[in-house]
Amino acid sequence: MRIPFSYNIRNLVVRKTTTIMTALGIALTVAVLLSVLALVNGLQTSLRSSGDPKRILVMRKGATAELTSGVTRQAFQDLKFKPGIARDSAGQPLASLEIVTVINLPSVDSEAGMNVTTRGLLQPGIEIRNLKLAEGRWFESGRRELVVGKGIAARYPDARLGGTLKFGKGEWTVVGVVDAGTGPINSEILGDLNQVAGDLNRMEGLSAMWLVAEDEITAKSLINSINDDVKLTAQAKSEVEYLEAQTSSAAPIQFIGIFVSLIMAVGSSFAAMNTMYAAVSRRAREVGTLRVLGFSKGSILTSFFLESLVLALVGGVLGCLLALPLNGLTTGVGNNLTFSEIAFNFRVGPDTMATGIVFALVMGALGGLFPARSAARKEILTALREI
Amino acid sequence: MPETVIQTRKLTKEYVREDYHVFALKEADIEIGRGEFVALMGPSGSGKSTLLHCIAAMDRPTSGEILVLGQDLSSLNERDIAHWRNVHIGFIFQSFNLIPVLSALENVELPLNLTALKKQERREHARNALELVGLGDRLHNLPRQLSGGQEQRVAIARAIVTDPDLILADEPTGNLDAASAQEVLNMLSRLNKEFGKTIVMVTHDPHAARFASKIRYLEKGELLPDGRTPADWNLPAAEATSG
Ligand SMILES: Nc1ncnc2c1ncn2[C@@H]1O[C@H](COP(=O)(O)OP(=O)(O)OP(=O)(O)O)[C@@H](O)[C@H]1O
Ligand SMILES: [Mg+2]
């Protein structure tokens, strides 16, 4: 770099209003992109971190989600005694037959309410997932009692401890809150299998089965044995595999978000271009002078191009700062696979920020290229005559 | 006759537009030797700047030949010309043309960025040049913190910092008050006499022209023969030439 860098930095400082306005435009664009990435990132982390390779989900063949799956009690009886399933202290297999449905709850975010996954499960279902109560107690079988995930308790006023929810054949009382970290249970409502199934008139139409293998290797052979069992007509997956498939639910948000930020990026690039064209024309005489001093067209081009990149970099850093407060913010997102809501935290990690910076630099490069080229192409005498 | 530094033959620059045809320079033949201090005079629009720009390879003639320091400028490409100018030419503008965001020292250091000198050496050279023009105490001032005369002295320092063979000045005193003009002219004269620099200076001012060792006149793009003044010009050329 022949023309000193300080020349560019100081020019950016001298026209600070334009610099700040342009950088802010880029910053907003970067912030939008980062929010989308943080959302997707957070969703993936939330889904993935709670997966345990020993936990196995058994659904009807071809089903992609518990909600659309169906299994019978008979299948559960056949499955329960397969070898390789871990047992609890009382020697009972850790296997749970479950029913999954969605109920609509009024939320703090939406008057119309949101769909929340509601799960009826057997006692071992709690141990299978290592669920720990944060408040209250567990539901008792034979009663309309519910335990809610922490994320649900926080976002649905009716689902707080002691609250009552209406569904099925009557009113249900929330008797406990469970802390499932970032796991999916955090966004679910739990009740006793038979009570829930009875209220929904689905005593035989149950959804899926969960079980825990003795260890990871056993888990693999257990999955194979279930999948090969023609009598069962069921399909088993490890929880990790199942949750990974669900991250695809973020795809539409990701698509729209990236689409919006691309449109904004076009705008910001033009703003940067406009700023740089103005800079080039204001400094035409300086360009002519630099050429007379012996600087080549190439170094003029590089100089203005770099200036645009620095401008964009400022915008990129500002954008990261704007997006940073999102880090850790809790929100929910509709899951189009389970038709319910998953609560999770935004995650603005270093790699997300790096993406934002690169995105900003691309805007700067696109915006800076043409003005820099026009500066370099000016005839010396024409440049010197401009005021 | 000393070594020839600038030599032109039938140097012509034409501007042709739809409704407009002008010879900015018409078959000009000039020869300038090493160590000469030549003033170019003539009415506005007579082609003085055009000639100076051709010598500095800032402009390309329409026809004719030009040899500067033995180099045929028409044979150089864009990149080589830039380098050639950096090494051999120091150019001084009427309106100083300092870079507003750079300090005096940084402005003077600018052309040295194109050389192989290290940062420390560049600083040193730039400081020496500024001391030579009497601005050793204004190194860190920005151009707008300097008077016009001081700005032009910074510009002179910038023109000489690379130790060029040729100093070209286009009305260097045109924007200055009498006292500042005097200082600048004294300085150019000193560069010519003490350091043996070849100088070509365009000027409107007969007083300024007296500092030169020779005056050449242009009229409507044509260079008058050595020693001839335009008929309506009241400055006796002989006086300046003999000085
Ligand atoms: N880019 C151009 N297009 C058209 N005509 C031009 C151009 N540049 C210079 N000319 C013409 O060429 C002629 C010589 O111009 P030049 O600038 O060399 O004059 P000058 O002697 O330096 O005048 P001044 O004393 O006013 O600076 C003028 O008639 C001018 O109008
Ligand atoms: Mg002129």
Side-chain angles (χ1 to χ4, degrees):
Chain A
M1 183 183 24
R2 293 289 184 57
I3 298 176
F5 202 40
S6 52
Y7 170 66
N8 305 105
I9 302 293
R10 286 188 212 164
N11 272 301
L12 285 170
V13 173
V14 164
R15 55 181 156 95
K16 47 181 169 302
T17 316
T18 348
T19 300
I20 290 170
M21 295 315 279
T22 314
L24 270 182
I26 292 172
L28 283 178
T29 310
V30 168
V32 167
L33 179 76
L34 289 194
S35 326
V36 175
L37 294 182
L39 185 148
V40 172
N41 197 348
L43 185 60
Q44 284 174 346
T45 312
S46 147
L47 290 173
R48 223 175 265 142
S49 66
S50 49
D52 182 336
K54 291 203 296 292
R55 274 203 284 270
I56 297 170
L57 168 63
V58 184
M59 297 188 289
R60 188 187 57 211
K61 268 208 164 60
T64 51
E66 288 177 274
L67 194 64
T68 49
S69 160
V71 294
T72 60
R73 282 178 192 267
Q74 184 55 50
F76 183 63
Q77 292 309 321
D78 295 342
L79 183 89
K80 205 157 101 173
F81 298 107
K82 278 203 177 279
I85 298 178
R87 288 171 184 270
D88 65 13
S89 47
Q92 291 298 308
L94 283 175
S96 169
L97 179 61
E98 307 191 350
I99 182 167
V100 175
T101 187
V102 291
I103 61 171
N104 189 275
L105 288 186
S107 94
V108 287
D109 303 329
S110 154
E111 289 267 332
M114 304 270 275
N115 284 336
V116 177
T117 299
T118 304
R119 180 185 298 275
L121 68 166
L122 293 176
Q123 207 58 40
I126 295 169
E127 196 176 332
I128 285 172
R129 297 178 173 86
N130 298 319
L131 296 176
K132 301 274 179 299
L133 282 173
E135 285 177 89
R137 59 172 175 85
W138 282 105
F139 49 80
E140 279 173 24
S141 53
R143 307 179 77 157
R144 289 202 174 89
E145 288 180 348
L146 298 169
V147 166
V148 300
K150 231 181 165 175
I152 297 296
R155 302 181 57 246
Y156 297 88
D158 294 352
R160 293 211 182 96
L161 187 62
T164 51
L165 301 178
K166 247 193 197 139
F167 77 92
K169 293 174 180 159
E171 290 200 341
W172 297 68
T173 316
V174 178
V175 296
V177 176
V178 68
D179 184 358
T182 57
I185 294 293
N186 211 33
S187 320
E188 292 187 5
I189 295 177
L190 309 177
D192 175 60
L193 172 72
N194 290 320
Q195 191 65 43
V196 175
D199 261 46
L200 297 173
N201 285 328
R202 277 175 58 184
M203 286 308 280
E204 283 304 318
L206 304 170
S207 304
M209 302 176 278
W210 283 89
L211 42 94
V212 179
E214 285 161 353
D215 52 60
E216 278 187 44
I217 297 167
T218 319
K220 291 213 176 72
S221 52
L222 192 53
I223 288 171
N224 288 337
S225 114
I226 296 169
N227 288 342
D228 294 345
D229 192 329
V230 282
K231 211 173 74 199
L232 273 176
T233 64
Q235 134 200 297
K237 269 182 196 171
S238 81
E239 188 185 29
V240 174
E241 203 187 332
Y242 175 64
L243 292 179
E244 248 158 33
Q246 294 216 350
T247 58
S248 65
S249 62
I253 309 168
Q254 195 170 6
F255 176 78
I256 292 169
I258 288 175
F259 184 70
V260 168
S261 36
L262 279 183
I263 289 180
M264 286 180 71
V266 172
S268 304
S269 290
F270 273 110
M273 193 182 294
N274 196 42
T275 303
M276 289 311 296
Y277 266 124
V280 167
S281 95
R282 201 176 317 110
R283 274 143 63 191
R285 213 155 60 104
E286 294 174 34
V287 170
T289 307
L290 289 167
R291 295 281 307 282
V292 172
L293 294 181
F295 289 97
S296 66
K297 291 183 172 191
S299 41
I300 302 282
L301 183 115
T302 314
S303 179
F304 278 96
F305 189 66
L306 279 175
E307 188 167 317
S308 180
L309 288 186
V310 173
L311 179 61
L313 186 66
V314 173
V317 171
L318 274 177
C320 287
L321 292 180
L322 281 178
L324 218 47
L326 286 178
N327 211 354
L329 190 75
T330 305
T331 191
V333 56
N335 180 334
N336 63 347
L337 217 56
T338 58
F339 307 108
S340 64
E341 223 202 32
I342 304 172
F344 63 92
N345 296 335
F346 277 88
R347 254 178 60 90
V348 186
D351 43 348
T352 320
M353 290 203 271
T355 311
I357 298 281
V358 170
F359 190 53
L361 288 178
V362 170
M363 284 183 258
L366 291 178
L369 191 61
F370 290 102
R373 208 179 54 162
S374 91
R377 284 186 174 178
K378 274 187 204 296
E379 289 297 326
I380 297 182
L381 292 180
T382 322
L384 284 174
R385 260 194 288 270
E386 283 176 39
I387 322 151
Chain B
M1 183 74 196
E3 178 200 347
T4 304
V5 177
I6 300 167
Q7 188 171 25
T8 71
R9 268 197 32 179
K10 295 194 184 305
L11 196 68
T12 301
K13 178 77 186 182
E14 257 180 286
Y15 287 104
V16 185
R17 302 268 190 285
E18 271 173 36
D19 53 341
Y20 174 89
H21 184 190
V22 66
F23 280 98
L25 213 53
K26 197 171 177 186
E27 304 197 339
D29 293 341
I30 194 169
E31 209 166 300
I32 294 172
R34 187 172 291 279
E36 281 194 276
F37 184 169
V38 178
L40 286 180
M41 297 194 76
S44 185
S46 58
K48 307 180 293 293
S49 295
T50 304
L51 179 55
L52 207 64
H53 293 153
C54 286
I55 296 171
M58 289 156 64
D59 202 356
R60 288 196 187 261
T62 315
S63 64
E65 287 165 26
I66 178 161
L67 241 68
V68 181
L69 299 157
Q71 176 72 54
D72 176 7
L73 298 182
S74 64
S75 70
L76 293 178
N77 67 26
E78 196 77 53
R79 237 195 141 69
D80 295 336
I81 282 180
H83 177 70
W84 177 86
R85 213 186 281 126
N86 179 252
V87 174
H88 298 290
I89 306 287
F91 204 96
I92 300 165
F93 303 86
Q94 176 172 357
S95 44
F96 329 132
N97 286 17
L98 298 179
I99 305 295
V101 296
L102 300 182
S103 70
L105 189 66
E106 289 163 332
N107 263 288
V108 175
E109 199 187 322
L110 211 43
L112 295 177
N113 282 300
L114 291 162
T115 66
L117 292 178
K118 292 191 184 63
K119 178 86 194 157
Q120 202 52 45
E121 298 169 310
R122 296 203 302 261
R123 281 274 133 119
E124 203 55 41
H125 279 60
R127 187 176 293 121
N128 289 343
L130 278 166
E131 270 160 15
L132 191 73
V133 298
L135 289 173
D137 55 341
R138 308 309 288 270
L139 302 181
H140 302 294
N141 287 49
L142 290 175
R144 66 180 147 80
Q145 298 165 326
L146 299 171
S147 72
Q150 288 169 331
E151 277 195 79
Q152 194 61 302
R153 276 147 66 193
V154 173
I156 292 175
R158 181 177 66 182
I160 60 173
V161 74
T162 51
D163 195 23
D165 304 286
L166 201 51
I167 293 171
L168 306 175
D170 197 346
E171 302 190 35
T173 57
N175 282 8
L176 299 179
D177 62 82
S180 301
Q182 187 71 28
E183 270 176 358
V184 163
L185 290 165
N186 282 334
M187 214 156 283
L188 289 176
S189 181
R190 198 175 146 217
L191 287 171
N192 173 246
K193 293 210 173 75
E194 271 180 47
F195 298 89
K197 298 287 173 203
T198 311
I199 300 179
V200 182
M201 173 179 77
V202 168
T203 184
H204 268 121
D205 175 13
H207 172 74
R210 281 204 193 91
F211 284 78
S213 51
K214 184 193 273 181
I215 303 180
R216 294 297 301 266
Y217 293 90
L218 277 149
E219 204 171 43
K220 291 183 182 139
E222 290 185 70
L223 197 65
L224 301 187
D226 208 354
R228 272 264 307 277
T229 44
D232 59 346
W233 210 270
N234 51 20
L235 182 89
E239 188 187 314
T241 322
S242 64

